[in-house]
Amino acid sequence: AQSVTQLGSHVSVSEGALVLLRCNYSSSVPPYLFWYVQYPNQGLQLLLKYTSAATLVKGINGFEAEFKKSETSFHLTKPSAHMSDAAEYFCAVSGNTPLVFGKGTRLSVIA
Amino acid sequence: NAGVMQNPRHLVRRRGQEARLRCSPMKGHSHVYWYRQLPEEGLKFMVYLQKENIIDESGMPKERFSAEFPKEGPSILRIQQVVRGDSAAYFCASSRQGAYMNTEAFFGQGTRLTVV
């Protein structure tokens, strides 16, 4: 079975500050890990994915995530938050099941 | 190069009516997945289909819900005799390869079902 836990349902940062969204996974097989972003009343857009080729994954809009097997984590970071980053972010895992999503973290960016 | 197309975007049904949600996958994609999103919840997997086949329906409620992906035309998620608890956003995704591989799934904008 696979599962994802996102720590913090709501994160608030100042514009220009570091963004850190936490994701821990559980998987009985080598996982494939993804981060998606959802803007209000929109579908999900892929930010980045872990393919097992490199533990540090760079995505769109300046986001990156690091796969840490020993910590079963795949935290999402961005060095400097922008107002346009305000959205809901979902971590997801697959491997021997269709995508399994966490409950999401809503990111607010304060001017 | 159209993405995953879902319609309608918004659907209002009275209790007891049928809801029919449509999903056209991206060109070249033969794998379709349906997810349901409730307020304050993540997306919950419902069903995975390939053309004319249901591959995995482990997330589908046992009654009133059904899905199909015919040889021609869009995938359909059908909810019979809707109840207020069915109110949610329903998302469709498609991929070129199968669900259990390292592949990107592209999502539609969703259908927001409201049962009154």
Side-chain angles (χ1 to χ4, degrees), chain B residues 12-98:
Chain B
V12 179
R13 284 288 178 265
R14 295 186 185 279
R15 282 178 294 171
Q17 290 185 319
E18 178 179 283
R20 191 171 293 203
L21 290 61
R22 295 175 182 78
C23 169
S24 296
M26 286 183 66
K27 186 177 181 180
H29 288 193
S30 60
H31 301 262
V32 166
Y33 322 87
W34 285 93
Y35 283 81
R36 176 164 60 178
Q37 184 179 33
L38 294 167
E40 306 303 319
E41 296 285 331
L43 280 76
K44 300 294 186 184
F45 168 74
M46 300 181 74
V47 62
Y48 162 34
L49 310 104
Q50 280 184 274
K51 286 285 187 181
E52 301 184 278
N53 288 303
I54 296 175
I55 306 302
D56 182 347
E57 56 181 349
S58 58
M60 285 282 270
K62 293 289 185 276
E63 298 177 347
R64 303 187 297 107
F65 286 72
S66 63
E68 63 178 9
F69 189 15
K71 186 176 181 181
E72 301 291 338
S75 175
I76 305 288
L77 178 68
R78 184 181 292 109
I79 311 172
Q80 297 178 303
Q81 300 176 334
V82 296
V83 301
R84 289 229 171 103
D86 297 332
S87 296
Y90 292 83
F91 288 94
C92 169
S94 73
S95 67
R96 190 179 300 276
Q97 295 173 315

